[in-house]
Amino acid sequence: RQDNRIKTLMHVTPQDRLFVLTGAGISAESGLATFRGSGGLWNGYRVEQVATPEAWAADPELVWHFYSQRRRNAISAQPNAGHIALAKIEHQLGDRFYLCTQNVDELHEQAGSQRIHHMHGNLFQSRCTRCNQPFSDTALYETAATLPTCDRCGSPVRPHIVWFGEIPLDMDAIYRKLERATVLLVVGTSGSVYPAAGLVHIANQQGTRTIYIGPEEPLNHEAFDEILLGTATELLPALVP
Ligand code: APR
Ligand code: ZN
């Protein structure tokens, strides 16, 4: 039955417009821990305790340290066959492909993805809390002992990460792309964080075919037309002819 479903997905034709949404699960087989899985704790903290504006206000060093460590993990990780398969699909579909990721690593880019949007920010960027000056100087993270400050206005520099309670980046562009998509493929996200988890509902309303890939059903599973149970590296390469 699963084989049949994979064949169905392979019928993404050159006329289709494919919108892909990925979550932490696609990087799991590259060795990066997911948030809500068994390894979802960081030094005994729940992610919600370090990834919030409140946590930043209370203990910026802790938050900076959290992201420094995640950034180091991301640097030593390699893209897996799932990331690579998506890059190949993009190569075939060109402008009919759009990748929206909740992940803050750059494994999609390393695999060759180009039409990609990081809706929850990026581990390799930071910005001034006051004047919004962006920083991509990775050395900022290496000196995690002291918090970096903006060279323009002297205010604290924060990770360019969308925290709980903050609005994801460029939602307008995401909705515009989704509006035009004929297929929504969601990979490796638990369906627990909105607005990302709500994209499948929008797709349904407009008649876009919806497919989920991951080892277990997401929380919003009832909204999907098709669910393929398996890991990203097991299932995504099979989609590339
Ligand atoms: N292949 C595919 N999916 C996998 C794999 C794998 N090898 N391993 C685990 N998964 C799935 C899990 O079954 C789970 O559904 O990946 C999902 C990971 O879920 P979460 O840890 O909740 O991660 P995600 O959904 O990306 O989190 C959303 O929450 O913490 C915030 O901003 C953060 O972007 C993040 C958001
Ligand atoms: Zn500044």
Side-chain angles (χ1 to χ4, degrees):
R1 173 153 177 217
Q2 214 167 68
D3 281 352
N4 284 339
R5 287 175 160 194
I6 288 174
K7 285 196 191 103
T8 325
L9 181 53
M10 282 177 73
H11 292 150
V12 170
T13 68
Q15 279 70 49
D16 272 311
R17 279 181 299 272
L18 179 61
F19 184 117
V20 181
L21 171 70
T22 61
I26 196 167
S27 295
E29 287 164 283
S30 293
L32 300 181
T34 61
F35 296 101
R36 290 163 190 84
S38 47
L41 286 180
W42 176 77
N43 286 2
Y45 295 94
R46 290 191 359 264
V47 169
E48 290 81 356
Q49 290 175 286
V50 278
T52 63
E54 291 76 20
W56 175 254
D59 193 346
E61 282 87 1
L62 176 80
V63 174
W64 192 263
H65 180 47
F66 171 67
Y67 287 104
S68 297
Q69 192 170 332
R70 287 188 59 197
R71 183 179 163 279
R72 278 196 297 276
N73 293 343
I75 285 175
S76 52
Q78 296 296 320
N80 63 49
H83 299 106
I84 291 166
L86 288 180
K88 285 184 180 158
I89 295 173
E90 175 179 355
H91 192 67
Q92 288 166 12
L93 291 179
D95 283 336
R96 294 175 177 274
F97 178 97
Y98 181 71
L99 174 56
C100 176
T101 186
Q102 298 168 85
N103 298 344
V104 294
D105 63 55
E106 289 190 340
L107 295 180
H108 282 304
E109 285 91 336
Q110 284 180 43
S113 290
Q114 293 178 339
R115 295 164 180 86
I116 176 170
H117 173 58
H118 285 269
M119 69 181 293
H120 289 169
N122 187 318
L123 278 175
F124 300 92
Q125 289 168 28
S126 29
R127 67 170 192 269
C128 175
T129 49
R130 179 147 166 242
C131 75
N132 277 327
Q133 160 102 327
F135 296 92
S136 53
D137 182 1
T138 53
L140 279 180
Y141 283 87
E142 313 306 348
T143 58
T146 53
L147 283 176
T149 50
C150 175
D151 56 11
R152 222 162 66 176
C153 78
S155 298
V157 171
R158 63 165 274 179
H160 187 53
I161 299 279
V162 176
W163 289 326
F164 288 96
E166 296 183 326
I167 299 166
L169 307 173
D170 222 348
M171 284 307 297
D172 284 353
I174 293 173
Y175 291 135
R176 274 200 308 276
K177 289 289 183 185
L178 184 59
E179 202 167 73
R180 302 192 34 143
T182 58
V183 180
L184 169 67
L185 170 63
V186 178
V187 184
T189 173
S190 56
S192 54
V193 174
Y194 285 77
L199 296 182
V200 64
H201 302 292
I202 297 174
N204 279 330
Q205 280 162 19
Q206 63 188 29
T208 297
R209 211 169 116 220
T210 56
I211 304 155
Y212 181 81
I213 286 184
E216 58 200 0
E217 289 195 331
L219 284 181
N220 53 359
H221 64 92
E222 78 295 330
F224 286 92
D225 297 325
E226 299 167 56
I227 294 201
L228 309 175
L229 290 181
T231 74
T233 68
E234 282 165 5
L235 296 184
L236 284 174
L239 306 181
V240 189

